Amino acid sequence: MEKKLPNIEIIEKYCKGCHICVEFCPTKVLEMKGFVVSVKNLEACTKCMQCELRCPDFAIRVHAE
Amino acid sequence: MAYDYDKWIRPGKLPHIWCPGCGHGIVMKGLIRAFDTLQLKKEETAIVSGIGCASRLPGYIDCCTLHTTHGRAAAFATGLKMARPEMKVILCGGDGDGTAIGGNHFIHACRRNIDMTYIIMNNYIYGMTGGQFSPATPTGHKASTTPYGNPDPNFDIAKLAIGAGATFVARGTAFHAAQLDKLIVEAIQHKGFSVVEILDDCPTTYGRRNKFKSVIEMMNRLKEISVPVKAAEKMTPEQLQGKVLTGVLYKEEKPEYCEQYAKVIERAQVGK
């Protein structure tokens, strides 16, 4: 069965580039592109939601469905 | 589970003013998740705050909010709760606002056991006013007014609340974000004065003076120093040296102030 990938929405105008999501993602899905976070490796995402929970700036939403 | 953050954010208010990596945003998210879990009504929920970085929080949340004078959140909130006992009243503020300038209001609100929830974001410093040391700054740590190290012992805010008579006391950290909303939900549901101390990071005025290279290092420190209450039961005092306990630290049932006051009114009106 094909793995259903989540949609990681990044609201760039809210991101302040604090690195928290990049550092605490257990499967290293995210990376910094300049001062703003972006998705590097979506296939590795396990939908643990740690990035969404820890983003202080409301800049990441993980839509798992 | 997906939470509805947008429902509780005041339109057009984001991005917020907090610095990159500041934990207050994580706490605000936890509070919104708690509101969403409890399905609170906006017109029956009030957030009261004093002055400071943490006290900016009500400005972003779309419900009844009250931004008051420095340290006086508990006094204003007591008035609000007495006038409208059906409302859910949540106070929020920082360590300086709550335990120094508002120290008296805080301990007396604890003593009265009025049904409110106080969320204290402890970032060990007065962030907004320029990084002066607060009663929560650990001994030896640096602030703008203690450049050679703080000589004062610091408050343990949770113990202070227990000692003053709060009936629900919990502690969380900005690192353990998933736990925050659960603690806040339990605190709001508790009938009586509940205090949730949340250990936080201030990378701008505290972190850079105390040799933290990044926000990540500050977050990792929160992870290292915190020990869940249940795990601490099996640990020796030596192992607990320098650690802080997290989770629900204290809970008891006591008569609630608004109900007691209503009885006083009843007694006073007998025979009239």
Side-chain angles (χ1 to χ4, degrees):
Chain A
M1 206 179 99
E2 201 178 310
K3 191 181 154 195
K4 211 175 173 191
L5 292 176
N7 174 23
I8 302 179
E9 180 194 358
I10 289 166
I11 307 162
E12 292 191 358
K13 64 176 180 179
Y14 293 170
C15 180
K16 291 177 185 160
C18 69
H19 287 245
I20 288 178
C21 56
V22 177
E23 204 65 34
F24 293 116
C25 173
T27 51
K28 305 289 170 217
V29 171
L30 303 159
E31 66 170 353
M32 292 304 292
K33 230 177 210 172
F35 291 107
V36 177
V37 67
S38 73
V39 180
K40 177 180 69 177
N41 183 15
L42 189 63
E43 281 78 38
C45 181
T46 58
K47 303 174 212 169
C48 70
M49 314 294 268
Q50 288 300 315
C51 54
E52 187 186 295
L53 283 170
R54 291 217 176 92
C55 173
D57 297 297
F58 296 76
I60 296 188
R61 307 274 165 97
V62 180
H63 304 286
E65 263 92 75
Chain B
M1 187 185 156
Y3 295 96
D4 193 358
Y5 291 111
D6 295 327
K7 183 188 159 192
W8 288 95
I9 298 276
R10 213 162 265 187
K13 283 285 180 183
L14 288 179
H16 52 60
I17 53 130
W18 295 315
C19 305
C22 172
H24 293 347
I26 303 174
V27 179
M28 181 157 84
K29 272 186 149 172
L31 188 63
I32 292 176
R33 287 199 301 278
F35 285 178
D36 209 41
T37 310
L38 292 169
Q39 294 287 312
L40 297 183
K41 287 190 187 130
K42 285 183 183 184
E43 60 277 9
E44 284 177 10
T45 311
I47 308 185
V48 187
S49 73
I51 299 292
C53 288
S55 298
R56 291 292 297 252
L57 192 149
Y60 302 108
I61 297 194
D62 194 13
C63 66
C64 305
T65 57
L66 188 60
H67 194 185
T68 72
T69 48
H70 210 345
R72 270 65 184 164
F76 284 87
T78 303
L80 172 64
K81 184 73 186 177
M82 292 297 289
R84 297 280 304 274
E86 76 282 2
M87 282 190 94
K88 291 273 180 212
V89 181
I90 289 110
L91 295 91
C92 60
D95 48 308
D97 185 64
T99 59
I101 293 156
N104 253 318
H105 292 296
F106 173 61
I107 56 172
H108 289 285
C110 290
R111 174 174 68 93
R112 282 200 185 105
N113 194 32
I114 186 161
D115 185 19
M116 303 191 291
T117 303
Y118 200 154
I119 295 167
I120 298 195
M121 288 163 242
N122 180 1
N123 58 4
Y124 309 110
I125 204 120
Y126 281 100
M128 186 175 271
T129 48
Q132 292 85 355
F133 75 106
S134 82
T137 308
T139 315
H141 287 216
K142 287 173 184 169
S144 66
T145 43
T146 55
Y148 303 103
N150 173 28
D152 297 358
N154 60 304
F155 264 145
D156 183 327
I157 297 175
K159 275 188 189 162
L160 175 70
I162 296 170
T167 49
F168 179 95
V169 180
R171 192 191 276 126
T173 80
F175 176 82
H176 302 91
Q179 188 196 25
L180 286 182
D181 51 316
K182 293 177 185 76
L183 291 177
I184 297 172
V185 163
E186 214 174 319
I188 293 175
Q189 283 174 333
H190 177 78
K191 197 161 183 64
F193 196 79
S194 28
V195 177
V196 185
E197 181 195 3
I198 299 171
L199 301 179
D200 215 339
D201 63 318
C202 175
T204 309
T205 60
Y206 177 78
R208 72 189 163 95
R209 284 199 180 87
N210 289 288
K211 304 250 179 335
F212 288 103
K213 288 197 188 81
S214 65
V215 174
I216 312 304
E217 230 175 80
M218 298 194 80
M219 284 283 169
N220 282 329
R221 178 184 162 271
L222 289 178
K223 182 183 169 186
E224 279 159 25
I225 63 168
S226 54
V227 178
V229 183
K230 277 196 182 130
E233 284 168 6
K234 293 171 199 144
M235 288 165 75
T236 60
E238 289 80 40
Q239 286 173 314
L240 286 170
Q241 197 75 36
K243 304 274 185 196
V244 286
L245 303 186
T246 58
V248 179
L249 306 178
Y250 186 76
K251 197 175 179 179
E252 71 162 317
E253 298 296 327
K254 261 192 196 170
E256 197 270 327
Y257 186 71
C258 292
E259 287 172 0
Q260 296 303 307
Y261 201 83
K263 282 181 195 163
V264 171
I265 295 172
E266 240 172 65
R267 284 202 296 274
Q269 286 180 337
V270 170
K272 278 195 180 168

